[in-house]
Amino acid sequence: MRTIRKIEQSISNLRQRKKVAAYAQVSVESERMHHSLSAQVSYYSRLIQKNPEWEYAGVYADYGISGTGIKKRQEFQRMLEDVEKGRIDIILTKSIQRFSRNTVDLLNTVRHLKEIGVDVWFEKENIHTMSGEGELMLTILASFAQEESRSISDNIKWRFHKKFEQGIPHAKFLVYGYRWEHNTLVIQPEEAKIIRKIFDDYLSGKTRKELIRDLEKNGIRTRYGHFFRDSSIRQILTNRIYTGILEIQKTFVTDPITKHQVANNGEKSKYIVERHHKAIITAATFEKAQQELKRRKEMGKRQGGYAREFLNTSCFTGIIKCGICGKSYTHVKRKYKGECHEYWTCESHKGKGTNCGAYGSVPQPVLEEICATILGTDSFNKNTFFQQVKKIVVPAYKVLVFHLKDGRIIEKQWNSTARKECWTDELKEKQRQWMKKYHQNDASKRYTAFSERICCPICGVTFTRCLEKRKREKVAYWRCKGKRKCSHVTGIKEETLKIIAASVLQMVSFDGEIFQKKVERIEIQRDGSLSFQFFNGYSKGVTL
């Protein structure tokens, strides 16, 4: 016989209150607009809180930021983050224009909100995005809002053009050397001295890089407190404002929606206001600087694309590029034991916190030798290099990729023999005598027979002796302390090394003096094994 059981209702019919938030926005910073924003915030706060089916989730308001984009609107972004966290079910807003005037941004945002179950109510247009006809109406009205934004932009441009015709810029821009006092540009004496010095030094033959170094050495910074950069120096040298002339509409916005700005190269009218303010430099000085800029550029083109000879720079300047960050390699000179050594390293290594991670440098002699090999000359020839080499890319340590002007690309690997060549028999004997005397005097227990003899051929770093506590006593280990620590071996216990060395040399117990006379070095191989290299050329491998 059929039976029927009734399962009593366990979940209450009480509706869960919706979490409702509102978004308000005005794009113009003024007292009137600020009052409008305050009114929107107050209105939506009261509206949400008086509805018993709604739970107040806050009001998000952006002030003084354009509605044509959503990336720069911090409150809008914060609202979207809270939506993702499940803190909002419904968003109220006054109109489509307040939400977004960019059709693409609007539809993408609304569609995403709809997918995760969040409804947007546009009060003015009476649209609910969760309804069936909501997106269709939204698309049509959003297009009208975007076109309205373009119309507003055209009106603003017309107002700006009227000001331009009167010689008035559309805003009080910032420029080094001057300050605005009411509607007049007034010279700042200290900054004006720097401007004159930059022009004088450049015309005397200094490069922009040399100018930057001089300014940094003297602690001179921009008005924002930063050190000058190449772009800053170039902007000063090419800015006609220092002659007392104001150029208006040097740039213009191509699209009011994307806000893309480009230089005005004749596409729009340009306005020149002469004797607009007091000059810092003469017109003749400015013209000389423009001619010098042009001269150096042309000279650089004639010499392989970069101005080198007349600026006392190397033929490799600007040619060697980092394969990691794309920056140029710079020329470095250092003295070691009375001798000057030259090498090239990535420019990113010079700035604090800007190191791109490119390991190692390229010695100048190695660079010249490889260039001679690639170009088929007996020795390095600068003129041949200029004629044939377009650029050299360094993708990895000890790898050079030559891009030739005939389209060929040649990769070349190199190995530095500088350390091997300088490590003469005389120097080796001198080092041995010094170490022997050092140990006899017991100057330091850090140095043993293994000092300077354990190395890794992979990273090129000599291992260091470390004393570590183990069960209330100190135990000596040999570890790699280089920046690129060897991953194939964590460390070797000194007692283990002595046992292995004694076995290799067929000694009853380890003797440091015999070891130093016979063993030149111990190499740690990639598989963790040890390779004993003897002075007589013999080598023996031992598994650790």
Side-chain angles (χ1 to χ4, degrees):
M1 184 170 176
R2 186 172 63 176
T3 59
I4 299 173
R5 286 189 305 122
K6 181 181 179 182
I7 300 174
E8 296 293 336
Q9 179 181 351
S10 59
I11 300 174
S12 174
N13 276 328
L14 292 174
R15 284 187 182 180
Q16 189 175 1
R17 294 200 302 167
K18 295 283 186 180
K19 297 184 283 291
V20 182
Y23 177 72
Q25 179 264 345
V26 293
S27 57
V28 181
E29 292 188 18
S30 68
E31 188 176 346
R32 182 171 60 85
M33 290 294 105
H34 184 69
H35 177 72
S36 170
L37 184 67
S38 301
Q40 288 183 60
V41 172
S42 300
Y43 167 74
Y44 283 115
S45 296
R46 290 194 302 270
L47 179 66
I48 297 169
Q49 291 177 14
K50 73 179 183 181
N51 192 323
E53 296 183 357
W54 288 353
E55 180 183 334
Y56 182 70
V59 177
Y60 302 81
D62 281 307
Y63 175 55
I65 301 174
S66 173
T68 54
I70 64 174
K71 290 183 179 179
K72 293 183 179 180
R73 288 190 272 163
Q74 294 181 356
E75 284 292 285
F76 190 88
Q77 294 295 336
R78 188 170 70 88
M79 179 182 69
L80 295 182
E81 288 175 5
D82 288 346
V83 166
E84 297 291 342
K85 294 174 183 177
R87 297 175 181 174
I88 301 172
D89 297 319
I90 299 173
I91 298 173
L92 307 180
T93 188
K94 184 177 179 181
S95 65
I96 292 171
Q97 288 181 337
R98 302 296 182 189
F99 204 73
S100 179
R101 291 178 187 162
N102 186 317
T103 306
V104 175
D105 283 348
L106 176 66
L107 293 178
N108 286 341
T109 304
V110 167
R111 283 169 182 165
H112 176 67
L113 292 173
K114 189 175 180 180
E115 285 176 3
I116 59 178
V118 176
D119 195 3
V120 184
W121 293 7
F122 297 97
E123 186 179 12
K124 182 179 177 181
E125 293 83 5
N126 192 25
I127 295 175
H128 291 216
T129 57
M130 295 296 282
S131 63
E133 70 281 358
E135 184 167 332
L136 175 63
M137 292 298 297
L138 199 61
T139 305
I140 297 169
L141 294 173
S143 300
F144 282 117
Q146 183 168 306
E147 289 308 311
E148 185 180 352
S149 182
R150 293 184 187 276
S151 177
I152 293 169
S153 176
D154 291 339
N155 293 336
I156 293 172
K157 285 179 183 177
W158 180 86
R159 180 160 55 89
F160 283 166
H161 288 155
K162 290 299 179 184
K163 293 176 70 175
F164 295 163
E165 290 172 359
Q166 300 172 26
I168 303 171
H170 74 277
K172 293 179 179 179
F173 52 87
L174 303 177
V175 58
Y176 188 79
Y178 290 99
R179 294 292 186 276
W180 284 97
E181 291 186 7
H182 302 295
N183 294 320
T184 306
L185 280 172
V186 178
I187 293 176
Q188 294 295 301
E190 292 301 319
E191 293 181 4
K193 288 180 184 177
I194 306 304
I195 298 294
R196 295 188 190 101
K197 180 174 173 55
I198 288 172
F199 274 90
D200 292 342
D201 288 351
Y202 187 74
L203 291 174
S204 68
K206 284 190 175 183
T207 64
R208 295 203 297 265
K209 187 168 284 188
E210 288 174 331
L211 293 176
I212 293 169
R213 288 173 185 164
D214 290 345
L215 292 170
E216 188 170 341
K217 184 178 178 181
N218 295 320
I220 298 169
R221 299 172 180 262
T222 66
R223 63 187 297 169
Y224 301 106
H226 306 299
F227 283 117
F228 283 84
R229 295 184 177 181
D230 183 73
S231 57
S232 308
I233 300 297
R234 182 171 179 80
Q235 188 178 30
I236 288 172
L237 290 171
T238 56
N239 200 340
R240 200 179 294 274
I241 199 168
Y242 297 116
T243 64
I245 294 174
L246 177 66
E247 293 180 276
I248 302 176
Q249 199 165 233
K250 292 196 291 184
T251 61
F252 65 95
V253 176
T254 57
D255 188 351
I257 304 301
T258 62
K259 299 291 191 297
H260 182 57
Q261 194 174 48
V262 296
N264 184 2
N265 296 316
E267 296 87 351
K268 302 286 183 180
S269 300
K270 192 181 288 187
Y271 302 85
I272 308 296
V273 186
E274 297 183 356
R275 297 182 295 278
H276 178 268
H277 51 273
K278 289 185 178 180
I280 292 176
I281 59 168
T282 63
T285 301
F286 181 79
E287 290 304 322
K288 285 180 183 177
Q290 306 319 298
Q291 291 172 11
E292 181 65 12
L293 282 164
K294 186 178 179 181
R295 186 181 77 86
R296 295 188 187 188
K297 185 177 180 180
E298 292 299 322
M299 184 70 75
K301 287 181 179 178
R302 289 198 296 272
Q303 298 189 17
Y306 301 90
R308 300 178 185 85
E309 288 298 309
F310 70 100
L311 293 177
N312 296 319
T313 55
S314 170
C315 61
F316 296 112
T317 302
I319 293 288
I320 309 172
K321 300 291 182 181
C322 178
I324 296 175
C325 66
K327 291 185 177 180
S328 297
Y329 268 47
T330 57
H331 191 206
V332 180
K333 290 183 180 181
R334 285 187 181 173
K335 280 190 176 183
Y336 179 70
K337 293 185 178 180
E339 294 184 5
C340 183
H341 297 269
E342 300 179 57
Y343 58 92
W344 292 81
T345 185
C346 181
E347 187 181 356
S348 67
H349 293 190
K350 288 191 171 183
K352 188 176 181 181
T354 61
N355 194 321
C356 69
Y359 180 71
S361 55
V362 186
Q364 174 107 355
V366 171
L367 193 56
E368 292 180 355
E369 183 182 342
I370 294 175
C371 286
T373 304
I374 293 291
L375 301 176
T377 55
D378 295 333
S379 60
F380 178 70
N381 187 291
K382 188 163 47 178
N383 293 328
T384 306
F385 177 80
F386 279 137
Q387 291 169 6
Q388 297 190 35
V389 180
K390 184 178 180 182
K391 66 178 179 178
I392 303 171
V393 179
V394 186
Y397 184 44
K398 295 186 178 181
V399 178
L400 300 175
V401 180
F402 285 75
H403 293 253
L404 304 183
K405 292 183 179 179
D406 60 7
R408 288 184 297 153
I409 298 175
I410 303 173
E411 182 176 314
K412 187 74 175 177
Q413 294 188 359
W414 59 273
N415 288 307
S416 177
T417 59
R419 184 175 293 182
K420 185 177 179 181
E421 290 171 356
C422 73
W423 194 241
T424 60
D425 293 337
E426 183 183 353
L427 189 60
K428 289 176 184 177
E429 182 59 32
K430 184 179 178 181
Q431 182 69 12
R432 280 194 288 269
Q433 293 300 325
W434 181 88
M435 288 294 290
K436 185 177 181 179
K437 186 178 178 182
Y438 194 85
H439 294 313
Q440 287 174 350
N441 295 335
D442 196 25
S444 173
K445 292 183 180 179
R446 288 178 58 206
Y447 293 90
T448 71
F450 298 113
S451 297
E452 304 295 327
R453 276 181 164 76
I454 307 172
C455 66
C456 173
I458 298 166
C459 70
V461 175
T462 303
F463 277 41
T464 306
R465 189 171 189 258
C466 307
L467 292 174
E468 301 177 6
K469 275 191 174 183
R470 293 288 187 276
K471 295 181 179 179
R472 298 183 181 179
E473 64 175 354
K474 289 187 177 180
V475 180
Y477 282 85
W478 288 87
R479 301 183 186 279
C480 174
K481 289 292 185 180
K483 290 183 179 178
R484 298 177 70 187
K485 292 185 179 180
C486 301
S487 58
H488 55 280
V489 60
T490 55
I492 308 171
K493 196 174 181 180
E494 188 172 87
E495 286 302 317
T496 305
L497 270 175
K498 287 181 178 180
I499 294 168
I500 294 172
S503 175
V504 169
L505 297 172
Q506 296 180 350
M507 295 186 290
V508 178
S509 61
F510 179 75
D511 189 316
E513 289 189 14
I514 296 174
F515 174 82
Q516 288 179 321
K517 286 179 182 179
K518 292 186 176 183
V519 179
E520 183 179 3
R521 66 185 182 278
I522 301 173
E523 292 183 352
I524 312 298
Q525 302 302 316
R526 191 179 290 275
D527 59 359
S529 63
L530 307 181
S531 176
F532 284 74
Q533 305 292 326
F534 294 86
F535 285 110
N536 60 8
Y538 175 71
S539 64
K540 184 175 181 180
V542 180
T543 303
L544 185 63

